[in-house]
């Protein structure tokens, strides 16, 4: 195997390690370790946040501190793809979020399906995320114990302010912490999703950061 292929394989491995570790740290609340996965000037766009990654992490810390002790969440990833170009890399993968939430005394299981688009930059020999978009596909919300939750609970939910693909996820965020959907939220199959991927692809090929203009 030639040196270029070895270097690319090492780069892909290191990029994947950081990307996957970031979600473990997020679920565990390992905030200092999570910060170390992102450059100081990194940017994140997800369901409720658009801005500096380190500010997002602080907001996540505050959100988690207000959860019920019985709440839990786990992110699971799959079908990971990494393209490298010198000191830049693009990593995309599927992500499923599983959550257990107690709301008004009832237990619910929530799932959110999405793709994550990570832009990586290597600085001083270390790969860290410089840009992360979550591109949402669908979600659902189910009572943990069928028949335990009265039909009126769902009938009284106002989902109209939220994107159809992500209504329950956004409803929960708004109810729990008052956080409405981010203006730049990305939904699969839209022009914004196509433009986001195109801008990230242009960047890894040597173009400017998508938000620099």
């Amino acid at each position: 195997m030639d040196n270029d292929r070895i270097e690319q394989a090492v780069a892909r491995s290191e990029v994947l390690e950081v990307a996957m570790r970031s979600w473990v740290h997020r679920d565990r609340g390992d905030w200092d370790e999570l910060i170390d996965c992102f450059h100081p000037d990194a940017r994140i766009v997800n369901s409720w946040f658009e801005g500096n990654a380190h500010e997002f992490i602080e907001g996540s810390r505050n959100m988690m501190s207000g959860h019920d002790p019985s709440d839990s969440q786990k992110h699971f990833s799959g079908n990971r793809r990494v393209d490298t170009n010198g000191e830049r890399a693009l990593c995309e993968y599927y992500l499923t979020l599983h959550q257990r939430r107690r709301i008004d005394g009832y237990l619910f299981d929530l799932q959110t399906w999405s793709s994550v688009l990570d832009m990586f930059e290597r600085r001083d020999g270390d790969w860290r995320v410089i840009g992360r978009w979550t591109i949402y596909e669908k979600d659902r919300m189910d009572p943990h114990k069928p028949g335990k939750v009265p039909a009126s609970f769902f009938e009284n939910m106002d989902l109209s302010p939220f994107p159809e693909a992500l209504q329950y996820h956004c409803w929960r965020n708004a109810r729990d912490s008052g956080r409405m959907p981010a203006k730049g939220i990305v939904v699969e199959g839209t022009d914004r999703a196509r433009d986001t991927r195109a801008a990230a692809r242009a960047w890894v090929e040597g173009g400017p950061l998508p938000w620099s203009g």
Side-chain angles (χ1 to χ4, degrees):
M1 181 177 292
D2 59 55
N3 289 337
D4 286 344
R5 292 177 64 188
I6 293 174
E7 291 177 2
Q8 290 176 14
V10 170
R12 286 194 294 270
S13 176
E14 292 177 349
V15 163
L16 282 174
E17 169 67 18
V18 175
M20 299 303 101
R21 184 157 39 88
S22 72
W23 295 105
V24 175
H25 294 323
R26 173 66 182 84
D27 290 337
R28 291 180 177 176
D30 299 332
W31 307 114
D32 291 340
E33 291 85 351
L34 180 57
I35 285 175
D36 193 52
C37 296
F38 295 84
H39 289 298
D41 53 336
R43 184 176 178 83
I44 281 182
V45 180
N46 61 20
S47 62
W48 60 270
F49 185 89
E50 182 176 5
N52 179 267
H54 290 202
E55 294 176 6
F56 161 76
I57 293 168
E58 184 61 30
S60 298
R61 185 203 300 260
N62 294 336
M63 289 177 66
M64 187 171 282
S65 66
H67 285 178
D68 186 278
S70 63
D71 290 351
S72 65
Q73 70 174 31
K74 291 291 185 294
H75 292 86
F76 294 91
S77 68
N79 287 14
R80 308 164 192 126
R81 296 89 71 198
V82 180
D83 294 319
T84 62
N85 182 21
E87 304 302 299
R88 300 181 179 188
L90 191 61
C91 179
E92 185 169 0
Y93 46 94
Y94 300 151
L95 192 75
T96 305
L97 170 60
H98 297 275
Q99 295 178 306
R100 170 71 52 82
R101 289 288 185 267
R102 185 176 296 277
I103 303 174
D104 293 345
Y106 302 112
L107 281 177
F108 293 91
D109 290 319
L110 299 98
Q111 292 84 39
T112 304
W113 289 263
S114 60
S115 293
V116 176
L117 187 62
D118 279 345
M119 291 165 38
F120 274 82
E121 190 171 57
R122 182 165 52 190
R123 300 179 186 173
D124 300 323
D126 294 323
W127 289 100
R128 290 185 174 87
V129 179
I130 186 64
R132 169 173 286 177
W133 287 268
T134 305
I135 304 173
Y136 296 95
E137 180 182 351
K138 61 181 181 179
D139 71 342
R140 66 178 295 144
M141 176 178 177
D142 300 289
H144 173 60
K145 185 176 181 180
K148 183 72 173 179
V149 180
S152 59
F153 183 95
F154 288 96
E155 292 169 357
N156 293 331
M157 293 172 65
D158 182 11
L159 302 177
S160 60
F162 311 120
E164 183 177 355
L166 202 63
Q167 288 181 323
Y168 297 111
H169 180 105
C170 291
W171 175 86
R172 175 187 52 76
N173 283 343
R175 185 191 184 282
D176 289 352
S177 59
R179 297 182 182 274
M180 297 300 287
K183 292 183 179 179
I185 189 171
V186 186
V187 175
E188 194 66 85
T190 64
D191 289 340
R192 178 169 289 171
R194 288 185 285 271
D195 292 345
T196 297
R197 286 190 171 96
R201 172 61 56 187
W203 173 82
V204 82
E205 293 175 354
L209 288 167
W211 55 88
S212 63

